[in-house]
Amino acid sequence: MYTSLQMNHSQLIKDCIKGKSHAQHELYHLFAAQMLGICYRYTKNLDDAEDVLQEGFMKVYTNLHQFKNEGDLGAWIRRIMVNTALTYLKIHTRYRNQMDFEHMPLHPVIEEQASMNLHTAALIEIIRKLPTGYQTIFNLVAIEGYNHIEVATLLNINENTSRSQYSRARALLIREIEAAEKTKSKQQCI
């Protein structure tokens, strides 16, 4: 009913707001896979990502009346998922302990160049191995497109802390990418 590629989401949104379960089911299926990927970028395992996804969709259904049909529905849902993931990280102890930026030094990190010949899946796994705080700030800045002022507001940290942690995340990623490429080169020589 709603699945045409040229679909106007307005009827789907109206039906979701009316509480029609088939419309909510359709909305979920239209965006769940993409949003699960977003949730997974912020968590350390698929179970947690699925929890964030479910919480996020509950917020989407509850607040769908606030969507003004002026922008992209997917972008609106994405922002809710990112905010839900950040809340999840702050609430759950196993993540919260790694999100404490209060006592981290703010000195700059020197960045080096690394070639980017890794497959996307390998790069995603390297990002996921970062400490949660670094991973979160890297995702917000490099992938979601937030600036450091916005990140500071979202995470209730200082803007300079955001910049420093992003720089450190990049430096760690560069080191890991270089190590992965050396390993890959050695395997190709064998």
Side-chain angles (χ1 to χ4, degrees), residues 10-177:
S10 62
Q11 187 58 50
L12 177 61
I13 292 168
K14 288 176 188 174
D15 289 348
C16 285
I17 291 170
K18 290 178 185 174
K20 293 184 178 181
S21 61
H22 70 280
Q24 292 173 340
H25 182 75
E26 183 67 27
L27 181 70
Y28 181 85
H29 283 285
L30 280 173
F31 293 101
Q34 177 186 5
M35 297 306 150
L36 181 60
I38 291 166
C39 298
Y40 192 56
R41 278 200 310 260
Y42 289 91
T43 60
K44 294 294 184 189
N45 63 61
L46 191 56
D47 288 338
D48 289 348
E50 289 172 344
D51 288 347
V52 171
L53 181 72
Q54 295 306 316
E55 286 179 40
F57 266 103
M58 294 307 296
K59 291 177 183 179
V60 167
Y61 298 139
T62 302
N63 296 300
L64 199 52
H65 66 281
Q66 295 177 1
F67 180 69
K68 303 296 184 210
N69 249 347
E70 295 171 356
D72 180 48
L73 178 60
W76 184 81
I77 293 172
R78 178 186 192 115
R79 183 172 285 280
I80 289 174
M81 292 299 163
V82 168
N83 287 332
T84 303
L86 294 176
T87 301
Y88 189 88
L89 295 177
K90 290 174 187 174
I91 290 172
H92 290 82
T93 307
R94 66 185 171 280
Y95 293 110
R96 186 179 56 233
N97 293 339
Q98 295 181 31
M99 296 283 294
D100 182 13
F101 299 106
E102 194 82 15
H103 305 291
M104 293 186 167
L106 296 177
H107 58 81
V109 176
I110 297 171
E111 297 178 16
E112 301 171 10
Q113 290 294 338
S115 59
M116 300 286 183
N117 293 329
L118 293 177
H119 292 288
T120 303
L123 186 56
I124 289 170
E125 281 309 307
I126 290 173
I127 293 169
R128 291 185 47 65
K129 289 178 184 175
L130 288 172
T132 302
Y134 292 167
Q135 176 185 349
T136 301
I137 289 176
F138 183 83
N139 282 330
L140 288 169
V141 174
I143 297 173
E144 306 297 342
Y146 287 94
N147 64 44
H148 291 289
I149 295 170
E150 293 168 324
V151 171
T153 302
L154 283 169
L155 298 178
N156 196 29
I157 60 175
N158 181 291
E159 179 185 346
N160 290 331
T161 301
S162 175
R163 289 181 192 285
S164 174
Q165 298 308 306
Y166 177 71
S167 180
R168 289 172 181 274
R170 282 187 46 144
L172 283 172
L173 285 173
I174 289 168
R175 256 187 263 135
E176 289 298 319
I177 289 168

